[in-house]
Amino acid sequence: MDDRFEGLRQQRHLLYDRFAVAQVAVSSDGLEVTFAGPMETGVRVGGFAVVEVADRCVVVQVRSVEVVEREGPELDLEVREQVHGYGVSAARARPMMRALHGSAVTLGELDSAGFTVLPRTVPFGESPIRPATAGEVAAVAAGLPAGAATLDVGVLNQAPQVAAQLRATGFGRHTFMCGQSGSGKTYTTGGLLERLLRRTSLPILVFDPNSDHVHLGATADPADESPAAVRHRAVAGDVYVARARGFGSPFTLCLDFSDLEVDTQALLLRMHPVRDLDDFHALRQVTSTLTAPYSAADVAAAAAATPEGARLAKRIANLGIADWELWRREGERSAADFDIRTKRCVVVDIGSLPTPDERTAVVLALLGRRWATRRRRDPVLLVIDEAHNVLPAATDNPLLAATTDLGTLIAGEGRKFGLHLFVATQRPGKVHPNVVSQCDNLVLMRMNGAADIAALAGFFSHVPRPMLEQATGFGLGEALFAGPIAPVPVLAKVGRRVSPQGGADVPATWAEVTS
């Protein structure tokens, strides 16, 4: 750093000391707050701050912070060097000075007895604002849930010694989880499911396309005697994992052909009700004569026995549908018969099935069964991991299109029947917008694209956009929780999980330099 630059820097520091921006906040309605201050103010988007108003401390959450430039005072300067050959001895100038400006919302008031949630406070004029101390953050975090049942999901970014808490009842609304590959999305999903298992009685049905959650009923360290691990072992026996044959699961992932609606059977057989008029009619006629449960082989045999069903039988044979590993065998129980009312958690390992159509058929059958029995009003959390493979934004696959139609129906109408979605994906644009738009909760992890942030801002307008933009700088396991699951939008580092982790990246040992 040369002497001239250092001299200029010192002069600017003198200006900032002499003409400092007041570090103050104002509120005309006791709810919305604006503030200003020097660059060293210390407040951060999503963090808690305290406004010291007369004899009370108003707690606010910062929603936006930006650097603004303003003209400084007019200065008379002595010029000691010649300017373009002219003898100029003095000049006037207005240096540009930078400060912070931002907005916040009031949460309540803090006193010696603790934090009190208030819908709004008394309006106030210019009053000092500062970041909340760690002790104040702890008091606010403890008071925000206002007695509601909570789940500790990790620690707050602002104060790593303070637990980040979510409202358990918030999972009674649809949840959208988004994070790019490598952000810790699978780890976080497993951690949330663990906590729901340990702290609630909400039944959970997990569609697991990558076999990431098949160890949810175990602990990673058998010797772990932490309270979380002990509690998890107590509920682990209520986790049932259904996998395809050959994976060693006590619960075989299988279906009867009759578990599928006739229209879905037709989609599996690549039939259209108009273009394949005769075959579609034959399918309806044949299945109406069969008693459930029946198999695809039963349909083919019954169709072959009639002249009008011969083409249908050949279609089944040519497509090899009857040979799928998915179909139930003697002594097995169809996954469609799982009664979620008697099980805390069922993990359906659709990733263990060999073909995409088999995986989609399982999702259609199980979601269809949940929808068909919706009037029982049995609450259940339907977890769809890697949801772009199940509820895509666009597809030319009629079977996937049917799954998406069912998913959007549940998203729009299911909540009043107790059907609550938890949809996880890498980018918002990959899941059908009619599903995302029905989600009230957002769990956002690291994102790279500005376009994805803009899309999320459109879907989740109740979350301040500057908070969404924080996701581009998230580290591994950091997340924004917003919606009914959180008393206020929460920026947190996800805590430890006790079940074995799935979905880890392949080790990059190939990058090691060898001699």
Side-chain angles (χ1 to χ4, degrees):
M1 184 181 299
D2 59 46
D3 293 341
R4 183 179 179 184
F5 179 82
E6 177 60 22
L8 289 172
R9 191 176 69 85
Q10 291 178 1
Q11 290 176 24
R12 289 189 63 83
H13 277 215
L14 290 173
L15 281 175
Y16 278 103
D17 291 340
R18 178 67 179 83
F19 302 99
V21 177
Q23 188 168 318
V24 295
V26 299
S27 176
S28 62
D29 60 3
L31 178 61
E32 299 292 334
V33 178
T34 58
F35 64 86
M39 298 295 291
E40 299 81 9
T41 299
V43 296
R44 298 289 183 268
V45 171
F48 300 135
V50 174
V51 183
E52 298 173 342
V53 182
D55 59 346
R56 57 198 174 96
C57 290
V58 177
V59 177
V60 302
Q61 184 178 39
V62 179
R63 297 298 174 91
S64 68
V65 179
E66 61 178 336
V67 178
V68 295
E69 289 188 337
R70 61 184 177 87
E71 285 190 331
E74 186 174 80
L75 304 176
D76 291 325
L77 304 175
E78 178 184 349
V79 179
R80 297 179 180 177
E81 298 179 3
Q82 292 291 320
V83 180
H84 296 298
Y86 295 95
V88 178
S89 60
R92 289 183 174 179
R94 285 185 177 273
M96 296 302 294
M97 303 182 70
R98 298 176 182 85
L100 291 184
H101 183 273
S103 64
V105 62
T106 59
L107 303 178
E109 294 184 1
L110 191 64
D111 57 26
S112 58
F115 174 71
T116 303
V117 177
L118 296 173
R120 65 176 65 229
T121 66
V122 177
F124 52 85
E126 292 189 348
S127 301
I129 183 173
R130 58 174 175 78
T133 66
E136 290 167 337
V137 171
V140 173
L144 277 173
T150 60
L151 309 173
D152 288 353
V153 295
V155 296
L156 296 178
N157 282 5
Q158 182 182 9
Q161 66 273 46
V162 178
Q165 300 181 84
L166 301 182
R167 286 196 186 109
T169 55
F171 287 92
R173 299 292 185 116
H174 300 320
T175 301
F176 183 71
M177 182 181 195
C178 193
Q180 69 181 45
S181 178
S183 63
K185 179 164 50 63
T186 299
Y187 186 94
T188 299
T189 301
L192 290 174
L193 295 179
E194 282 183 12
R195 287 158 173 80
L196 286 168
L197 282 169
R198 295 197 297 263
R199 304 295 298 175
T200 76
S201 59
L202 178 64
I204 303 170
L205 176 60
V206 182
F207 294 98
D208 187 3
N210 289 333
S211 309
D212 289 332
H213 305 293
V214 295
H215 303 296
L216 191 59
T219 52
D221 181 4
D224 186 355
E225 292 299 325
S226 66
V230 170
R231 175 61 181 162
H232 192 74
R233 290 192 191 97
V235 298
D238 291 330
V239 177
Y240 294 76
V241 179
R243 312 187 75 179
R245 298 180 195 91
F247 284 85
S249 174
F251 303 96
T252 301
L253 179 53
C254 60
L255 292 177
D256 286 302
F257 196 64
S258 53
D259 291 328
L260 304 171
E261 298 289 337
V262 174
D263 288 349
T264 303
Q265 295 175 6
L267 290 176
L268 285 179
L269 295 172
R270 309 291 193 271
M271 293 195 309
H272 188 275
V274 175
R275 291 194 300 269
D276 303 293
L277 194 65
D278 292 336
D279 286 356
F280 193 92
H281 179 71
L283 177 64
R284 284 194 173 278
Q285 289 293 104
V286 167
T287 54
S288 68
T289 66
L290 297 174
T291 301
Y294 57 79
S295 66
D298 293 334
V299 174
T306 63
E308 59 272 18
R311 283 169 49 89
L312 173 60
K314 290 179 180 178
R315 180 186 288 267
I316 294 173
N318 289 344
L319 290 173
I321 299 293
D323 299 326
W324 279 5
E325 283 293 308
L326 173 64
W327 305 128
R328 184 181 64 84
R329 297 176 184 174
E330 189 67 30
E332 294 175 341
R333 183 183 181 190
S334 170
D337 292 335
F338 288 163
D339 188 350
I340 198 65
R341 294 175 297 179
T342 64
K343 299 174 177 61
R344 278 302 319 284
C345 179
V346 175
V347 178
V348 182
D349 183 14
I350 56 178
S352 65
L353 295 168
T355 68
D357 281 354
E358 289 176 83
R359 298 167 202 152
T360 304
V362 167
V363 177
L364 270 172
L366 300 191
L367 285 183
R369 186 60 59 92
R370 299 278 75 74
W371 181 249
T373 59
R374 65 190 182 279
R375 298 200 181 278
R376 297 192 314 205
R377 302 175 70 87
D378 297 322
V380 59
L381 184 67
L382 301 171
V383 180
I384 305 178
D385 201 4
E386 303 295 348
H388 48 275
N389 295 322
V390 179
L391 307 170
T395 180
D396 56 4
N397 183 324
L399 201 60
L400 267 181
T403 310
T404 303
D405 289 343
L406 181 55
T408 56
L409 180 62
I410 293 174
E413 304 292 337
R415 191 179 66 83
K416 59 178 173 280
F417 298 110
L419 303 179
H420 313 304
L421 289 174
F422 184 104
V423 177
T425 189
Q426 298 168 0
R427 301 182 60 193
K430 297 177 73 172
V431 174
H432 200 283
N434 288 345
V435 174
V436 183
S437 64
Q438 294 298 321
C439 293
D440 296 315
N441 295 316
L442 174 65
V443 180
L444 178 62
M445 307 197 74
R446 186 173 69 245
M447 301 293 293
N448 280 342
D452 290 333
I453 297 295
L456 289 167
F459 285 121
F460 299 94
S461 57
H462 60 282
V463 185
R465 179 154 182 168
M467 286 196 186
L468 298 174
E469 292 171 346
Q470 297 293 300
T472 59
F474 281 166
L476 179 65
E478 292 184 328
L480 164 66
F481 299 90
I485 56 173
V488 296
V490 172
L491 296 170
K493 171 77 172 179
V494 176
R496 185 177 75 98
R497 55 180 290 184
V498 298
S499 62
Q501 178 183 357
D505 292 336
V506 176
T509 53
W510 47 266
E512 296 176 0
V513 177
T514 58
S515 56

